Amino acid sequence: MKKTPKLIDDLMTIAQKRQVEAPLIQEIHKLSPSYQQVAFPDWTYSSDLIQTDAGAVVDGQVLCQDLLAGARTFGLRVKNMKVSLDSISDHEITVKEDNESYDTVVLASGAWLPKLLTDHGFQVDIRPQKGQLAVIQTDWDTSQIPLIMPEGEGDIIPHLDGKIYIGATHEDDQGYDLSTNPSQLTDILSTAYALVPALAQFPVSELKVGTRAYASDYAPFYGPVPNQTNLFVASGLGSSGLTTGPLIGREIARMINKETTALDPNDYPVGNYITRV
């Protein structure tokens, strides 16, 4: 959704250009209010918007558990512990808390990357951004409801079992605080209720909160730390992490195994974000 017709047309043009190399986008349509009403009867909006047939909803908690289960099937040990790096050399990297050394280490710690590297003489261009979203429990068949992206922070995201997620906030001044603060969601919920008035009759059953990692230019980066061929990092994924995280994980695995990567790592240079002090 965009507030002016020109922005809608501009976005359509961008999507159509990208569609050539990204066929998963599938069909792209501009929908008038009357067609929107047919697609979603509870919807209230008086301007055109863009509809695409592509898209998916991913539950981050479930994805995380699936990744851990997959790791175990390949013989990986999973340790649930907070760790720090004791020493970094060209030959090995020692993790302080379990007193084990490793030939190669990947730091995929999101917004906490600076906490792992600062004590070892690195400056890291990453900051935390807090995000909260509300879970509304409905009695609807949410499999028939589209994922809706209004202009601004709040999306309307259907999940299973009648749940609809609303959010998320983008809070730049909360550091690593993971406490919930419903007042931050007031404007986002108001937008959702204005677009789908029937949502207001259902309760907010849960608040979810997390921390994103952002670089100063909002770009992701991944690969080996400069002059450190056995220490790899990935960060700066922001709110795209569920989409791009698995792809970046695959790319790093290929780098470690000296295999050809699908993307050009020079497009995401770690040296722009991590430097020796």
Side-chain angles (χ1 to χ4, degrees):
M1 297 167 61
K2 294 294 180 184
K3 292 180 181 177
T4 66
K6 184 182 184 307
L7 290 176
I8 285 286
D9 292 337
D10 290 346
L11 192 58
M12 286 279 291
T13 300
I14 292 171
Q16 288 163 349
K17 287 180 178 178
R18 292 180 178 176
Q19 190 181 35
V20 175
E21 294 186 0
L24 285 176
I25 292 176
Q26 299 182 36
E27 295 189 21
I28 306 164
H29 305 282
K30 183 192 292 186
L31 289 190
S32 67
S34 59
Y35 279 96
Q36 297 167 31
Q37 202 72 38
V38 171
F40 187 17
D42 291 302
W43 179 250
T44 303
Y45 189 61
S46 59
S47 301
D48 293 342
L49 53 72
I50 296 174
Q51 178 196 37
T52 174
D53 295 331
V57 175
V58 178
D59 186 311
Q61 290 177 311
V62 175
L63 175 61
C64 182
Q65 294 306 313
D66 284 348
L67 290 171
L68 291 173
R72 291 187 178 96
T73 64
F74 284 95
L76 275 70
R77 290 179 296 155
V78 177
K79 299 182 179 182
N80 296 309
M81 58 194 300
K82 183 178 179 179
V83 300
S84 59
L85 301 180
D86 189 28
S87 63
I88 301 173
S89 74
D90 293 335
H91 307 292
E92 64 179 16
I93 297 169
T94 304
V95 175
K96 188 174 185 179
E97 283 70 16
D98 67 356
N99 199 32
E100 288 197 38
S101 296
Y102 300 89
D103 297 326
T104 303
V105 168
V106 179
L107 303 180
S109 51
W112 285 265
L113 184 61
K115 292 182 178 292
L116 289 168
L117 292 176
T118 300
D119 289 344
H120 295 276
F122 292 99
Q123 182 170 303
V124 183
D125 177 14
I126 281 292
R127 62 174 174 81
Q129 184 190 74
K130 183 176 180 179
Q132 299 183 76
L133 55 80
V135 181
I136 297 180
Q137 182 64 60
T138 75
D139 58 10
W140 297 345
D141 178 4
T142 42
S143 68
Q144 302 303 308
I145 297 174
L147 188 154
I148 302 161
M149 300 178 68
E151 197 163 38
E153 291 184 348
D155 298 333
I156 301 172
I157 309 165
H159 273 253
L160 302 175
D161 304 321
K163 292 184 173 66
I164 295 181
Y165 290 10
I166 309 293
T169 63
H170 292 69
E171 303 169 45
D172 289 327
D173 57 352
Q174 297 299 307
Y176 297 93
D177 173 36
L178 291 176
S179 62
T180 57
N181 182 357
S183 66
Q184 295 290 333
L185 283 157
T186 300
D187 290 342
I188 291 176
L189 285 170
S190 296
T191 298
Y193 294 150
L195 294 170
V196 190
L199 271 179
Q201 66 181 302
F202 298 108
V204 173
S205 60
E206 185 182 0
L207 295 178
K208 292 179 177 286
V209 60
T211 301
R212 311 178 187 92
Y214 276 103
S216 57
D217 62 357
Y218 296 93
F221 60 89
Y222 66 91
V225 171
N227 302 315
Q228 199 71 48
T229 57
N230 58 345
L231 180 61
F232 291 76
V233 297
S235 193
L237 277 63
S239 56
S240 71
L242 287 179
T243 306
T244 58
L247 172 62
I248 289 175
R250 186 185 68 177
E251 292 293 276
I252 291 177
R254 286 174 170 173
M255 289 179 175
I256 293 172
N257 289 323
K258 311 298 184 186
E259 298 171 359
T260 302
T261 57
L263 303 176
D264 184 352
N266 294 319
D267 292 337
Y268 310 92
V270 175
N272 287 1
Y273 308 93
I274 299 178
T275 55
R276 283 280 186 185
V277 178

